[in-house]
Amino acid sequence: MSDIFDVAVIGAGPGGYVAAIRCAQLGLNTVCIDDWKNPKGKPCLGGTCLNVGCIPSKALLDSSENYFQLQHKFSAHGIHCENAGIDVSTMIARKEKIVTSFTAGIASLFKKNKIKSMHGKGTLQKQSNSAKEWTVAVEDAGSTQTIQAKYVIIATGSVPRPFPLSMIDNDKILDNVGALSLTEIPKRLGVIGAGVIGLEMGSVWRRLGSEVTILEAMPEFMMAADDQIAKEAKNIFNKELGLQIHTGVAIESVKVTKNKITLRYADADKQKQTLEVDKLIVAIGRIPNTAGLGADENGLALDEKGFIAVDEYCRTNLTNIYALGDVVRGPMLAHKASEEGMAVAETIAHLEKNQTIEQCEPVDFNVIPWVIYTSPEIAWVGKNEKQLKAADIAYKVGQFPFMANGRARSIGDSFGFIKVLADEKTDRVLGIHMIGPHVSELISEAVIAMKFSASSEDIASTIHAHPTLSEALHEAALGADNRALHI
Ligand code: FAD
Ligand code: NAI
């Protein structure tokens, strides 16, 4: 006889573990099944984000930025440090310590919330028509247990998109796992894909001294970002950091030999080029992880791109089965996954109290912030100019450069700007775009403004402390009404 739960969550990444905690807080008897193992072969909660994604990448971004500042920026403050060096193994060990403390933290949160944690691969079992509960088989190291649950939440995340020209071995050809664990600084590093991982990981190793060349298939750089931000970013990455970024390339072959990797590609002008590197990071996107879930056997509908098909409430086509996070449509972001996790838990709790689905609140995709943790950082929320033009929406623009912001000048980091886009007629904020120091933190004010349907006047009439970086947002909002003061 298998254990019976109210909710079984498959996957303990930021989508699944948050869903499990919220379900438990709402009084639902919850089990969370996860199959992640750390490099030592130990079960480890937290999914991609905590183990090989958000947290370790930010740890390395900070270590490498400190080293870069020491090498290139501190002398302007009169601080000199001869013979400064970087010990990569200490940097990697620090990263691993941070990861371990957070993944262990989730195990304690599960304990505190009385969530049963099971290690193994969860597979939906075929259900008879009369069954009231779903059965999930949990397989680990050859032994299988089953559990039953009224509701199942699938949060199985994503995996790197396979690269047809070469296998990932995480020795020479690296995905995010290998890129986060290099033990030496490669002299020459190639990166395929100028997306978020390519830019963040390329920045880490460039700051530490690698010659980094990024090859991007799309003709434009950072197509998802506002054009002006993308242009400014490419310029700074190239001139200040020394990242070589080539867009519009078509990679034709990748040859790995003992001492080097040779890439042959056609550049944007269709000219044949050769690039030799010591390590190659492949960061060409991620795909939903539905392998071994029992999707086909149960008729779980996938969309045309292989994501589990869900509605706005994250309901799949199967009764009482929900899916969320990277395995469903929408941006592949940890905070989007967690927000869906909370929303699904609330939905299930509401339905259990006989409320209708219309009384539940789906996640608002219009106010999901994006942050790229390069230097300068890039962040945005809402629509960009390209999207507003395509939708034929009349808008006004307020923009303010960090060069004219006292705090940015004081900290010696004054690249970039903030741009506020507001509806021409109603003044409602439609999008806010930032490139500059600590904009990963500044974007939250923009998100709150949009969440509460603020106008640019609302931001402009709010007192911002002086001297702070947030005054750049204040000035950009004033600028939307042509009344910026310090420019
Ligand atoms: P995941 O975190 O992928 O977790 C899924 C879990 O389910 C895993 O533990 C997996 O092993 C487990 N699983 C899968 N199938 C089964 C099964 N059948 N049975 C049991 N367990 C299963 N996002 C941000 O917002 N900010 C960032 O700074 C950021 N940085 C990133 C950096 C990198 C290098 C990468 C790769 C990603 C980054 N992301 C970032 C994206 C973020 O990691 C993902 O959006 C997020 O992890 C998705 O959460 P999830 O819960 O949907 O899935
Ligand atoms: P991505 O989708 O951001 O970028 C992939 C890039 O590779 C694209 O620009 C694409 O045009 C390019 N590409 C695809 N095939 C190619 C080829 N054959 N040759 C050359 N270029 C090619 O995907 P990425 O960087 O792998 O990251 C995956 C996801 O992880 C991101 O979309 C994001 O959702 C998440 N992430 C978020 C972070 C954050 O929030 N700061 C940090 C890192 C990852």
Side-chain angles (χ1 to χ4, degrees):
M1 177 72 188
S2 49
D3 289 340
I4 300 183
F5 295 88
D6 296 321
V7 183
V9 182
I10 307 180
Y17 85 72
V18 166
I21 292 174
R22 189 68 194 126
C23 283
Q25 285 175 344
L26 291 163
L28 298 160
N29 182 18
T30 304
V31 57
C32 186
I33 302 152
D34 188 83
D35 66 355
W36 195 283
K37 280 188 180 149
N38 68 14
K40 290 179 185 148
K42 293 258 158 46
C44 223
L45 302 172
T48 304
C49 171
L50 262 64
N51 288 288
V52 292
C54 325
I55 299 301
S57 60
K58 269 74 244 180
L60 296 191
L61 277 156
D62 261 307
S63 297
S64 60
E65 179 61 13
N66 285 339
Y67 182 64
F68 188 82
Q69 291 279 335
L70 182 65
Q71 295 263 310
H72 303 281
K73 305 277 175 169
F74 277 15
S75 58
H77 296 263
I79 302 170
H80 298 283
C81 181
E82 274 78 44
N83 303 323
I86 173 95
D87 175 4
V88 175
S89 54
T90 304
M91 179 183 84
I92 297 290
R94 172 185 177 273
K95 173 213 78 172
E96 277 161 12
K97 205 169 156 196
I98 295 168
V99 168
T100 308
S101 69
F102 271 108
T103 54
I106 298 184
S108 331
L109 288 173
F110 276 7
K111 220 168 172 180
K112 182 185 154 210
N113 286 285
K114 301 190 174 48
I115 295 162
K116 184 176 168 74
S117 183
M118 291 179 81
H119 181 77
K121 189 163 190 72
T123 305
L124 281 175
Q125 300 300 98
K126 200 149 172 43
Q127 196 197 27
S128 73
N129 288 340
S130 60
K132 284 201 187 107
E133 277 92 21
W134 286 94
T135 302
V136 182
V138 185
E139 194 274 327
D140 180 36
S143 79
T144 303
Q145 298 176 58
T146 57
I147 57 100
Q148 287 180 293
K150 180 168 179 191
Y151 296 91
V152 177
I153 300 175
I154 302 171
T156 47
S158 62
V159 290
R161 184 188 302 285
F163 181 49
L165 295 177
S166 187
M167 289 290 284
I168 303 291
D169 60 8
N170 275 331
D171 173 29
K172 281 196 157 58
I173 313 278
L174 319 167
D175 60 14
N176 56 304
V177 178
L180 289 163
S181 298
L182 283 171
T183 49
E184 284 175 10
I185 302 162
K187 187 167 176 318
R188 300 164 303 175
L189 175 68
V191 180
I192 303 184
V196 204
I197 296 181
L199 290 172
E200 290 188 358
M201 289 295 98
S203 295
V204 166
W205 296 104
R206 173 68 199 138
R207 289 166 187 170
L208 299 179
S210 295
E211 290 161 22
V212 178
T213 308
I214 304 185
L215 301 179
E216 165 59 46
M218 298 308 283
E220 285 169 43
F221 178 62
M222 285 180 53
M223 288 189 61
D226 183 86
D227 283 348
Q228 209 184 341
I229 299 261
K231 199 169 158 208
E232 177 94 345
K234 194 173 179 200
N235 200 19
I236 300 172
F237 294 160
N238 183 250
K239 290 208 177 109
E240 294 298 313
L241 184 58
L243 282 180
Q244 300 297 317
I245 302 169
H246 302 290
T247 53
V249 309
I251 299 168
E252 289 160 358
S253 69
V254 177
K255 192 172 161 210
V256 184
T257 53
K258 192 160 172 267
N259 297 323
K260 64 181 183 213
I261 303 152
T262 308
L263 291 103
R264 296 196 197 284
Y265 66 94
D267 66 17
D269 300 322
K270 308 261 184 291
Q271 299 299 307
K272 301 284 178 198
Q273 304 288 352
T274 301
L275 174 70
E276 287 184 353
V277 292
D278 304 306
K279 300 276 180 188
L280 179 69
I281 297 175
V282 178
I284 56 171
R286 294 176 65 85
I287 55 169
N289 180 14
T290 53
L293 197 56
D296 276 359
E297 296 79 348
N298 288 283
L300 179 67
L302 307 184
D303 69 16
E304 65 286 356
K305 290 183 179 157
F307 291 92
I308 296 177
V310 288
D311 67 5
E312 59 189 315
Y313 301 97
C314 292
R315 289 181 297 183
T316 69
N317 64 317
L318 301 178
T319 309
N320 291 349
I321 297 205
Y322 292 72
L324 54 86
D326 279 11
V327 79
V328 304
R329 84 294 175 251
M332 287 185 168
L333 295 172
H335 42 278
K336 175 263 192 184
S338 298
E339 205 60 34
E340 286 182 332
M342 282 190 283
V344 166
E346 299 282 350
T347 299
I348 290 173
H350 278 93
L351 296 179
E352 280 295 284
K353 288 182 194 147
N354 291 325
Q355 292 181 336
T356 63
I357 194 77
E358 289 74 28
Q359 290 171 290
C360 304
E361 205 176 327
V363 171
D364 181 358
F365 276 46
N366 291 318
V367 288
I368 296 177
W370 271 90
V371 178
I372 307 177
Y373 297 82
T374 43
S375 182
E377 292 182 336
I378 296 164
W380 70 84
V381 58
K383 301 270 187 284
N384 60 37
E385 291 202 55
K386 216 169 10 196
Q387 291 165 329
L388 292 174
K389 279 181 190 140
D392 213 10
I393 296 171
Y395 63 93
K396 51 188 179 169
V397 184
Q399 190 168 319
F400 192 80
F402 280 107
M403 188 57 88
N405 173 275
R407 189 68 192 277
R409 294 288 285 273
S410 310
I411 60 176
D413 196 351
S414 51
F415 286 114
F417 58 87
I418 295 184
K419 177 153 95 175
V420 172
L421 305 175
D423 189 282
E424 176 69 46
K425 284 204 194 85
T426 65
D427 193 35
R428 183 176 173 165
V429 175
L430 301 172
I432 297 186
H433 303 264
M434 307 178 168
I435 175 167
H438 302 290
V439 297
S440 56
E441 300 295 338
L442 298 186
I443 198 67
S444 294
E445 180 181 346
V447 178
I448 291 176
M450 287 195 63
K451 170 96 181 153
F452 289 92
S453 310
S455 60
S456 75
E457 170 63 22
D458 289 327
I459 302 176
S461 61
T462 301
I463 300 171
H464 289 69
H466 176 76
T468 60
L469 297 170
S470 69
E471 286 174 291
L473 176 56
H474 186 222
E475 287 275 5
L478 284 164
D481 195 26
N482 289 323
R483 53 195 186 102
L485 297 165
H486 292 91
I487 191 101

